[in-house]
Amino acid sequence: MNRIPSGWSNDPEDTCLDLAIETTLSHPIDELAVARVKNRAYSIPFDRQVSMPMADTSKFSEAIMNVQPSPVTNRLPKTKVLAALAASIAIVVWWTTSSSLVAIAQIADSINAISSVRFHYSTSTLGQAANEGAIEIRDQVIRYDHGRRVHVFDHANRKAVALDTQQMAWQEFDLSQLPAPVINPLAELVAARERAAKSLGSEWRDGRKLSVYEMKDFGLLDSRRKGTITMWLNEETNLPVRIELRDPNPKFKTVTIFDQFTWDPDLPQDHFALSMPAGYQPGEIEPAFASAPTGVQLTKGQDLESGILYSGRVPGWIEVDRERKLLTAILRDKEGSKSNMPTELRQWDLSTGKIRWTKFVGGAVKFGLQAEKSLLALIEGQEIQVRDAATGEVTRTMETEHAMGFVSFDKTGSRLANAYIDWGGNQSNPKGGVELWNLTSGALERTLDIGDRVELAVFRPDGLVVAAASQGNIRFYRTDTGKLEQVLAGTTRIAYSPDGEELAFASIEQAMLGVIGKVMVADAASYAIDRTLTMQGGKGRSWPLGLDFSPNGQRLAACDWNGAINVWSLVNGDAIPGVESLDSGVHCVRFIDDNHIATGSEDGTLKIHDLSK
Amino acid sequence: MNTVPPDWNQIVDEHSTRVFRVAMRILGSIPDAEDVAQEAFIEAYRLHSLREVQCWTGLLVRLATLRSLDALRRRRLTVPIANGDPASRGQPFDRLVASELEARLRQSITTLPAQQATVFTLAYYERWGRDEIAAHLGINQKSVSSSLHKARKHLANLLSMNLKSQGELP
C-alpha cells in the first residue's frame, strides 16, 4: 500500500524529510515548560551537587574543600523588634560535624531587629508553575501582591481585604472565612521551634557567603510533617536570603521559593491599609469569601424556582444528594482566566440557596458522590480523598500513581473507580486506564490498563461492570475478572439509569453540515441500542458533555459544549420543552428531582431549570 | 575561579527558550526536554567553572543538541503507529503519515555525527543562517554547508529506506 499523501512532489526522499521537519516545527512551545526550565536553571548555583566534580577533579576537589560548615556567630540585634514574625523563631541546628545541638537564636534576633520586609515568592505544584508575586510584611499585616489581585491580611484585627487592580474592585472579609490559612513563610519557621536543622555548609553567591540549613520531617502547609525547608542565610546579617519549602504531599508536590529579600525597606503606608482605596468600588473579588451566593437567590421556604443559584466561577461538575436537598459543585476559573484561584468544592442547601461549606481542592476537576453513605471522592494531585458529604471534610486518603483522575463510587460505597490519564513522557499520545480500589481495605484491587486516555469511569449499579469512557470508545469491563466485555463507539460521557437496566452514552456523528451530537440509550446488560436521541438547539459544533437520568428513570437530560440543554421523555422519546439553550458551553447537568435540573456552564453560572413550566 | 557566572540569571533568561526549544524539537517530549535543558545548563555552568565561556549561545545549543541525542539513544524507540491503533483512529490520513515521519526523523537524527546533528538542528529547527551557525559553533561557513548537505542527504536516505522497507514508497 502506498501511504504517501497525494499532492506530493516527485522526489519522495526530499519531501519526506521536509514534511518530517515541518511536522516537528508545527508543535507549539509550551511557555509553562520554559518557565519551569528557567526556574530550575536559576537555582543551579545554589545546588551543591552541581558544584561537584565533573571532568577536572583537581579543581573541584579544591572547591569541595572550601565548603565547610560555618560557625554560628553571637552577634545580637541592634534595632527594634519585628514582634509578629520573629518572637518565636528559634531554629535548632544539628551540627553533623560536631554532633552537638546549637540554637541559632541569632536568626530570630536578627529578624527581631527588622520592622518590615519585602520579598518575592513563586510556587509550583505537581511540576507546574502556579503562582508568583511579592509579599510585604509589616507588624502583623501581610500584603500579597499577585499582580492583578492584591490581598492584605491583618492578623491583629482578624480582617482582610482583596483588591482587583484592573476592575478597581475592593472586598473586605473576615479572616475566619478563609478556607485555607494565610502563608507567612517566616511564621512557617515557627513550627521549627523544636525541630532539628542540619547545617549543609556554606555557599558563595553574588560575593556573599551563605550558610545553608535544612529541616526535614517538617509540618508545613498540608505536608503532614514530611516537608523540607532549606534556608540560605547571609552570614554577615544572619538573615535569610532564600527559603525553599518542599511539600511532598501527593496532593500538591508543591515547591515554594521565597527570595529577593529586602529587609527594612521603606514601604508605603497605603500598602497595608484595610480601607477602600480612592477610585475603587466594593465588589465580589473572591466568591469563596462572600457570605451568600450571587445572582438570583432562592429564599427560605420557597419551592425550587428556575434561577441562578450561583454565578462567578465555572461549575464543572455537579452532584445532588439522595434527599435532593443539597447540591455540591466543583468551581474552577474560566478558560483563559489568569486568576489562579484553586478549584473549590462547594455545597448549597437547595431549600435556602445558602452555602453550607466551601473547600479548596487543588486541581480536582470532577468528583464522585456516594449518595447512600453520603460520601464524596476526588483526586488532588496523586491523593484520592474520600470526604464526608455533609461537611466536606476529608475522612480518608489513598495515594495513587496517577494524578488528576476522576473518581466514582459503586452503589454500595465499597469500591472506587479512578479513571486516569497518564501523560508519561509523551504529551502527544497519553495513555490511560482505570484503577479499582477497595474502600474496605484501602487497597488497589485491579488496574485496567486501557491505552486510551480515560476521562470517566462509572460502575454499573450492580457493581459487576465498570464502564470506561475515552475519546472514541466506551469500554465495559467485568470488575471481578478485569475482562473486557464490550466496546461501544462513543465519547466521554456515560450514565446508568437508577435501576441499572439502561445506560446512556454520548456520541457524535460527522455530517455534511457539521458534527451532530447524539445520545444513545442502550440495554445495560445486552448493550443493544434502544434509541438514538439527537442534540438540538445549540450553536456551532456539538460535543455532548453531560448526561443524567431523572430519579424515576423516565427522563434523560443532556448538555453540550455548544450550549444546548436537552431533556427527553424515555416513555415516548419526545423532547421536553421549556429549557432554553445557553450562549456558552454547558459542562454538566444533573436532575435535582424529576422536574428540576441543574446545569453548570462556562459563563460561570449554576442554573436551576424548572421542567414543569 | 568563582563558580558563579557573573550574570547567571541573565544567561538563563536569554537562553532558556532556545535551549528548551532545541531539546523539544529533537525529543518531542516536554518532560524529557525540560530534563535535557536542565542538564545543558548544569553542564554549561560546570564548564564555566573550568574555563571562561566565550559564547554561551553556542555552548548551550550544542549541549542541548548533544544531550538530547544522548537521551534519544537511551530512550526505547517509539513504536510506530500502526493501522487500527486506537490513537490513530479519527486522525486525518496525511496527519498520520506526517506523525510517522516525524517519529522516524527523530530516530534517524541519532545516527548523525555530532557536528552534523548540531548544524542540522540549528539550520532547520532554529532557522539559523549559515553565517550565524558558523559564528556560534566556531567553525567556518564551508564546514556548515558541508555538514548540512551530508546531514540532509543521510536523513532523507534513512527516511525513504524506512518507508520503502514497509512498502510505503514505490
Side-chain angles (χ1 to χ4, degrees):
Chain A
M1 178 182 65
N2 187 341
R3 293 172 59 192
I4 296 300
S6 56
W8 283 18
S9 78
N10 292 328
D11 188 350
E13 286 186 5
D14 275 356
T15 46
C16 283
L17 179 58
D18 290 338
L19 180 61
I21 292 168
E22 288 307 317
T23 308
T24 303
L25 294 174
S26 68
H27 304 300
I29 294 300
D30 186 333
E31 294 300 328
L32 273 177
V34 174
R36 288 194 296 272
V37 166
K38 275 187 187 177
N39 281 335
R40 289 173 70 185
Y42 288 148
S43 66
I44 287 173
F46 290 97
D47 188 340
R48 293 175 316 286
Q49 291 184 352
V50 171
S51 56
M52 292 294 137
M54 185 186 63
D56 188 340
T57 53
S58 62
K59 283 181 183 292
F60 278 104
S61 60
E62 195 177 300
I64 293 166
M65 292 300 289
N66 289 333
V67 177
Q68 298 288 338
S70 57
V72 175
T73 66
N74 290 315
R75 200 158 27 81
L76 293 175
K78 295 175 183 172
T79 50
K80 63 178 181 175
V81 171
L82 181 58
L85 299 177
S88 54
I89 294 180
I91 302 169
V92 178
V93 177
W94 172 254
W95 290 104
T96 51
T97 50
S98 62
S99 297
S100 63
L101 287 171
V102 180
I104 52 170
Q106 286 87 348
I107 296 174
D109 290 338
S110 300
I111 295 174
N112 267 333
I114 300 298
S115 59
S116 62
V117 61
R118 175 185 172 87
F119 51 96
H120 178 266
Y121 78 93
S122 61
T123 63
S124 64
T125 301
L126 291 168
Q128 302 283 326
N131 235 326
E132 66 173 332
I135 298 175
E136 295 172 346
I137 306 176
R138 194 175 66 185
D139 296 328
Q140 294 195 47
V141 187
I142 304 175
R143 175 188 171 94
Y144 276 73
D145 186 337
H146 318 286
R148 175 175 171 171
R149 289 190 183 195
V150 173
H151 292 98
V152 181
F153 302 100
D154 185 337
H155 286 268
N157 294 311
R158 303 294 303 158
K159 290 288 182 189
V161 294
L163 301 167
D164 184 323
T165 57
Q166 281 186 13
Q167 300 285 336
M168 303 292 279
W170 174 88
Q171 182 186 8
E172 187 178 33
F173 50 91
D174 197 292
L175 277 183
S176 60
Q177 289 176 280
L178 284 176
V182 179
I183 301 169
N184 178 342
L186 301 181
E188 291 292 336
L189 294 176
V190 171
R193 182 198 296 266
E194 304 300 331
R195 307 297 299 176
K198 185 171 74 175
S199 170
L200 300 178
S202 301
E203 286 184 6
W204 283 92
R205 180 171 173 78
D206 297 335
R208 292 179 300 184
K209 194 177 184 186
L210 308 177
S211 303
V212 189
Y213 299 102
E214 183 179 83
M215 287 161 280
K216 288 189 172 174
D217 302 326
F218 191 87
L220 57 94
L221 308 182
D222 198 13
S223 65
R224 293 176 300 193
R225 308 204 71 81
K226 290 180 182 173
T228 301
I229 285 186
T230 309
M231 180 170 60
W232 286 257
L233 197 70
N234 185 333
E235 292 189 1
E236 293 292 317
T237 62
N238 271 330
L239 290 168
V241 170
R242 178 184 174 97
I243 300 171
E244 281 186 15
L245 313 181
R246 293 186 179 271
D247 182 345
N249 187 332
K251 283 196 300 185
F252 310 121
K253 290 192 174 172
T254 304
V255 179
T256 306
I257 296 171
F258 302 98
D259 57 5
Q260 300 174 33
F261 285 87
T262 307
W263 300 97
D264 264 340
D266 189 13
L267 298 171
Q269 178 70 27
D270 60 4
H271 276 200
F272 301 96
L274 295 179
S275 55
M276 188 168 65
Y280 279 71
Q281 289 190 333
E284 187 179 308
I285 300 166
E286 307 291 3
F289 308 149
S291 57
T294 56
V296 180
Q297 186 175 325
L298 303 172
T299 53
K300 192 172 182 179
Q302 188 180 6
D303 289 334
L304 287 175
E305 300 273 351
S306 290
I308 297 171
L309 179 63
Y310 163 82
S311 68
R313 307 181 78 197
V314 178
W317 195 262
I318 297 171
E319 295 287 356
V320 178
D321 79 323
R322 186 177 58 168
E323 305 301 326
R324 306 283 160 182
K325 290 180 178 172
L326 305 176
L327 183 147
T328 312
I330 282 264
L331 303 174
R332 61 160 173 81
D333 287 331
K334 292 177 184 176
E335 296 288 345
S337 164
K338 293 183 178 176
S339 88
N340 276 331
M341 281 276 287
T343 305
E344 290 168 67
L345 187 65
R346 189 182 288 199
Q347 188 176 79
W348 290 264
D349 183 332
L350 285 168
S351 62
T352 63
K354 296 284 187 184
I355 299 171
R356 296 188 77 239
W357 49 258
T358 289
K359 304 289 176 188
F360 281 175
V361 290
V365 290
K366 301 185 184 88
F367 66 98
L369 170 74
Q370 214 295 324
E372 308 299 319
K373 293 186 176 176
S374 187
L375 298 174
L376 303 172
L378 53 83
I379 292 188
E380 272 195 72
Q382 291 177 298
E383 182 176 88
I384 298 175
Q385 298 175 351
V386 178
R387 290 170 177 256
D388 180 345
T391 63
E393 296 296 335
V394 176
T395 58
R396 185 169 190 178
T397 62
M398 292 166 292
E399 288 187 20
T400 171
E401 292 180 359
H402 305 290
M404 314 302 279
F406 168 67
V407 187
S408 60
F409 290 95
D410 72 353
K411 196 171 182 179
T412 64
S414 60
R415 274 182 305 184
L416 275 176
N418 172 28
Y420 65 85
I421 301 170
D422 187 354
W423 294 96
N426 190 348
Q427 297 272 333
S428 61
N429 190 20
K431 306 296 184 188
V434 179
E435 290 178 335
L436 298 179
W437 288 83
N438 185 320
L439 271 179
T440 308
S441 65
L444 176 62
E445 278 186 343
R446 186 183 298 280
T447 300
L448 304 168
D449 187 7
I450 290 173
D452 276 357
R453 47 191 281 181
V454 182
E455 300 199 10
L456 188 68
V458 181
F459 284 100
R460 198 164 74 186
D462 63 10
L464 297 176
V465 169
V466 64
S470 50
Q471 305 282 1
N473 285 314
I474 300 171
R475 298 171 174 86
F476 298 83
Y477 293 88
R478 298 289 298 187
T479 52
D480 52 352
T481 63
K483 187 180 172 188
L484 180 63
E485 186 170 274
Q486 182 65 267
V487 181
L488 296 174
T491 59
T492 56
R493 293 293 181 269
I494 179 169
Y496 280 99
S497 62
D499 61 9
E501 292 187 359
E502 285 184 302
L503 70 90
F505 62 96
S507 180
I508 55 168
E509 181 182 301
Q510 298 283 350
M512 288 291 287
L513 297 177
V515 178
I516 300 172
K518 303 276 187 182
V519 176
M520 323 295 269
V521 183
D523 184 285
S526 68
Y527 302 102
I529 293 173
D530 297 330
R531 75 179 83 204
T532 300
L533 306 164
T534 302
M535 295 298 297
Q536 304 276 354
K539 295 171 185 170
R541 184 186 175 94
S542 174
W543 190 266
L545 284 175
L547 286 173
D548 196 32
F549 284 91
S550 62
N552 65 10
Q554 294 183 359
R555 287 177 169 182
L556 180 65
C559 61
D560 197 298
W561 177 244
N562 68 8
I565 303 168
N566 290 181
V567 183
W568 298 276
S569 164
L570 293 176
V571 177
N572 54 25
D574 292 343
I576 294 173
V579 182
E580 289 184 10
S581 296
L582 304 180
D583 289 332
S584 59
V586 187
H587 291 283
C588 48
V589 61
R590 193 67 65 193
F591 273 95
I592 295 172
D593 56 33
D594 294 325
N595 288 314
H596 294 86
I597 57 170
T599 56
S601 51
E602 184 63 26
D603 63 2
T605 57
L606 203 170
K607 199 170 182 184
I608 295 172
H609 310 259
D610 187 346
L611 304 177
S612 62
K613 291 185 176 177
Chain B
M1 176 178 284
N2 187 350
T3 56
V4 181
D7 296 303
W8 179 248
N9 285 358
Q10 189 183 333
I11 290 164
V12 171
D13 284 342
E14 195 176 326
H15 299 289
S16 291
T17 303
R18 180 183 293 115
V19 168
F20 173 77
R21 193 168 56 218
V22 165
M24 180 65 199
R25 298 296 187 218
I26 295 174
L27 290 161
S29 153
I30 291 175
D32 290 353
E34 285 183 38
D35 287 345
V36 162
Q38 174 73 352
E39 207 179 321
F41 276 115
I42 288 174
E43 204 169 328
Y45 183 83
R46 284 174 166 169
L47 285 169
H48 170 78
S49 70
L50 296 176
R51 61 179 183 273
E52 190 180 351
V53 173
Q54 299 294 331
C55 175
W56 284 97
T57 306
L59 174 65
L60 284 165
V61 294
R62 198 162 55 231
L63 285 171
T65 304
L66 299 181
R67 296 302 159 254
S68 297
L69 295 176
D70 290 343
L72 264 188
R73 292 183 187 113
R74 286 195 301 268
R75 186 197 287 178
R76 190 164 55 87
L77 294 181
T78 309
V79 178
I81 299 169
N83 279 337
D85 184 305
S88 71
R89 279 200 287 273
Q91 284 196 36
F93 174 68
D94 288 5
R95 196 173 140 201
L96 191 60
V97 174
S99 296
E100 281 195 39
L101 285 172
E102 181 191 4
R104 284 171 184 161
L105 172 61
R106 198 161 282 136
Q107 294 169 22
S108 303
I109 288 178
T110 62
T111 64
L112 290 174
Q115 181 166 305
Q116 287 182 29
T118 309
V119 169
F120 177 85
T121 298
L122 295 178
Y124 285 103
Y125 293 167
E126 286 296 292
R127 302 293 193 196
W128 282 12
R130 187 180 64 164
D131 294 350
E132 199 177 3
I133 296 172
H136 282 104
L137 296 186
I139 57 178
N140 61 43
Q141 288 98 331
K142 196 174 173 185
S143 295
V144 173
S145 300
S146 169
S147 294
L148 194 56
H149 176 74
K150 287 176 184 170
R152 190 178 164 87
K153 190 173 178 188
H154 179 75
L155 293 173
N157 276 338
L158 277 183
L159 283 182
S160 62
M161 278 169 56
N162 218 328
L163 293 178
K164 280 173 185 170
S165 70
Q166 298 193 11
E168 294 161 5
L169 271 184

